Amino acid sequence: MKVLIVEDDLEIQQLVSYFFSKEGYEVETASDGLEGLRYLKKFKPDLVILDIMLPSLDGKNFTKIVRELPEEYGNPVIIMLTAKTEIEDVLEGLEIGANDYMKKPFDPRELILRSKKFLNNGAKVSKKYIFRDVVVDDDRHLVTEDGREVELSKKEYDLLHLLIRNKGLVLSREKILDKVWNTSYYAGDRSVDIYISKLREKIVSISKNIKTVKGVGYKLEEKR
């Protein structure tokens, strides 16, 4: 397991790093938010221990960027570290995707136990969705076609994910917009049609299986 510790207090950074290393985790550290994002992209950790108040990019915005761009940063467990006066910031962080938080000062042993709980739960619920030669790997937020990685944007990934999970069912444009874009349909909105076209171009092997249901929406049809 890999852990990234993003903390500008060197004493806390070293203390947390020591305890995770002692437990056998592979550890990297960063001292500000932007540096943390760079490490996150190349290190691909399973867990991020994140201070809420950081130079260059705070914990809230760090979390927001990571959750909005999983194709770049993956989907790590994020546990925030916070002072008592920052609780409102932490609550906002939880709303946008952090998994948990701990108030300073804290016992590193409790942090280890909480981290293990999230990591173990994640390992149990990880899923893959398969349609013909296409695999959507939720655990790694990865799509492959006949074993080769397909680069998709977040919206393309979410759209494909929705189609495969509902294969054989007709999905209206209204439902697709609600599930993928979190917005309501209005006449003239061509977002769904545009992204369906993108999927057909990028994943050729199932392009003919993505059927247009005239006047309604789309479905992923199992027949060739």
Side-chain angles (χ1 to χ4, degrees), residues 1-123:
M1 289 285 188
K2 296 181 178 180
V3 180
L4 174 63
I5 301 163
V6 189
E7 168 64 70
D8 62 329
D9 185 317
L10 188 58
E11 186 175 340
I12 295 175
Q13 184 190 105
Q14 291 175 341
L15 179 66
V16 175
S17 178
Y18 168 77
F19 273 86
F20 274 104
S21 297
K22 189 178 177 182
E23 288 290 318
Y25 290 82
E26 187 178 346
V27 179
E28 286 285 356
T29 60
S31 298
D32 66 66
L34 289 178
E35 183 185 25
L37 282 181
R38 289 193 292 270
Y39 271 104
L40 183 61
K41 197 169 184 178
K42 65 180 182 180
F43 185 52
K44 299 295 184 186
D46 305 285
L47 169 70
V48 178
I49 305 300
L50 178 69
D51 187 22
I52 192 74
M53 297 300 291
L54 289 165
S56 74
L57 183 72
D58 66 26
K60 287 188 302 180
N61 285 304
F62 180 102
T63 301
K64 185 176 181 181
I65 290 170
V66 171
R67 295 310 189 215
E68 287 181 348
L69 296 170
E71 65 274 15
E72 287 190 38
Y73 298 107
N75 191 29
V77 172
I78 297 177
I79 298 180
M80 288 181 162
L81 304 179
T82 177
K84 290 182 180 179
T85 56
E86 299 156 3
I87 188 63
E88 291 300 324
D89 291 323
V90 170
L91 292 176
E92 187 177 342
L94 292 172
E95 287 179 358
I96 60 178
N99 298 91
D100 199 3
Y101 74 97
M102 290 192 68
K103 292 180 182 179
K104 300 176 182 178
F106 58 89
D107 188 327
R109 294 171 297 180
E110 182 184 354
L111 178 59
I112 295 286
L113 289 174
R114 288 197 188 194
S115 300
K116 285 181 176 179
K117 180 180 177 181
F118 279 104
L119 292 170
N120 290 338
N121 286 343

